[in-house]
Amino acid sequence: MTKIGENIKKLRQVKNLTQQSFADLFEVSRGNISSYEEKRAEPKIETISKIAKYFSIPIGHLIEKNLTVNEILHFDNYFEEGDPLQNVKNLSKIPFLSREVLQEKKDLKLNMDKYPSIFFPIYNSHTFIALEYNSGLGAPIDFPYEEPTILFFEHLEVENLHLVEDKFGLYLIEDDVFIGKYRQEENELVLELNQWKKITFNIEQIQNFYQLYSVYKKVYK
């Protein structure tokens, strides 16, 4: 028996997809997805090929391995081979927003505790969030990163406001999210996406503002 059913279920969970939305991506029925996950049937090779290509996962891994969250997000080449995050005590657990979640822009902050988590070597007590960058996510024209980069944002702290000038940041509320650049305008700090969209920083809404902390990008050799 292959691992395809278990991996389809894991892919759905990590990407926050329902059985129906997953089925729609690959032109099969919701019942098909249910059958695959319950190991009552297996997808045709052309469907497996589509899934592997869409998620950039080798077909052999999709069929034979129990995929981890880090493999699905392509974090596997960050760590030493043969050490699949065994010592997670020394890693930070960070909520992860996939491209599918971000494209929906629905109840983003409200569902934070329901998202899958990434374990990554960030060592401080501040709050972080990780995003799967995609072209549908609003970002300044000079934003230097492309799909499928994973972006790590640190919650903005009052004591660091003077350090964010001209730095990239994130604005995240229930139904809106965009990446902008922090700029000082007279006596106000604004996060600017472009000349048409920007938001003035408000200390009472500081929980909605983040600053770019680090970036993970898979390098193909």
Side-chain angles (χ1 to χ4, degrees):
M1 183 68 72
T2 72
K3 304 293 185 181
I4 187 69
E6 298 166 47
N7 286 331
I8 285 175
K9 187 173 183 178
K10 177 64 75 66
L11 284 164
R12 281 202 310 103
Q13 292 172 337
V14 171
K15 295 297 188 175
N16 203 42
L17 293 167
T18 65
Q19 287 185 338
Q20 185 61 62
S21 57
F22 194 96
D24 292 342
L25 284 173
F26 305 108
E27 300 178 338
V28 296
S29 70
R30 189 204 63 77
N32 288 144
I33 301 302
S34 178
S35 295
Y36 304 154
E37 293 184 2
E38 294 173 11
K39 300 182 180 179
R40 292 183 281 109
E42 293 194 346
K44 296 178 180 178
I45 188 62
E46 53 262 38
T47 302
I48 295 174
S49 178
K50 288 179 182 179
I51 294 171
K53 183 177 181 180
Y54 183 87
F55 292 108
S56 300
I57 294 171
I59 290 180
H61 290 189
L62 188 61
I63 295 173
E64 300 170 359
K65 293 186 65 177
N66 285 315
L67 296 175
T68 65
V69 173
N70 280 44
E71 286 174 313
I72 291 171
L73 299 177
H74 306 299
F75 273 42
D76 50 310
N77 67 342
Y78 181 90
F79 301 95
E80 291 296 326
E81 180 127 13
D83 181 22
L85 303 182
Q86 292 179 0
N87 192 9
V88 296
K89 290 181 180 179
N90 293 327
L91 302 174
S92 297
K93 183 179 180 181
I94 303 169
F96 173 73
L97 276 66
S98 68
R99 61 180 175 181
E100 290 82 6
V101 170
L102 292 170
Q103 286 168 351
E104 259 188 44
K105 295 184 180 178
K106 182 180 179 182
D107 297 336
L108 293 171
K109 293 280 281 190
L110 297 178
N111 288 330
M112 199 72 72
D113 59 343
K114 297 181 181 178
Y115 299 136
S117 299
I118 291 175
F119 290 89
F120 205 72
I122 293 177
Y123 308 112
N124 72 48
S125 59
H126 292 170
T127 301
F128 289 87
I129 190 168
L131 311 181
E132 182 181 14
Y133 180 68
N134 69 89
S135 57
L137 180 62
I141 194 170
D142 60 343
F143 193 64
Y145 305 109
E146 301 176 349
E147 301 182 19
T149 304
I150 307 295
L151 308 172
F152 292 87
F153 287 90
E154 178 184 13
H155 186 249
L156 198 60
E157 303 291 334
V158 173
E159 60 268 25
N160 293 331
L161 293 179
H162 65 293
L163 300 175
V164 300
E165 169 74 16
D166 211 35
K167 301 289 179 62
F168 290 110
L170 178 76
Y171 180 68
L172 177 67
I173 57 173
E174 278 65 39
D175 59 355
D176 192 18
V177 56
F178 69 87
I179 295 170
K181 185 172 280 190
Y182 286 108
R183 300 192 188 282
Q184 193 77 31
E185 292 188 358
E186 297 180 352
N187 294 322
E188 294 182 328
L189 179 67
V190 301
L191 184 63
E192 183 179 62
L193 169 62
N194 52 44
Q195 60 181 315
W196 299 283
K197 185 170 184 177
K198 61 184 177 181
I199 185 162
T200 301
F201 173 79
N202 184 331
I203 193 68
E204 295 178 357
Q205 297 180 330
I206 193 171
Q207 71 275 8
N208 299 325
F209 291 86
Y210 296 77
Q211 57 185 323
L212 185 62
Y213 179 87
S214 63
V215 172
Y216 172 84
K217 185 180 173 95
K218 186 168 185 175
V219 177
Y220 295 91
K221 297 180 180 179

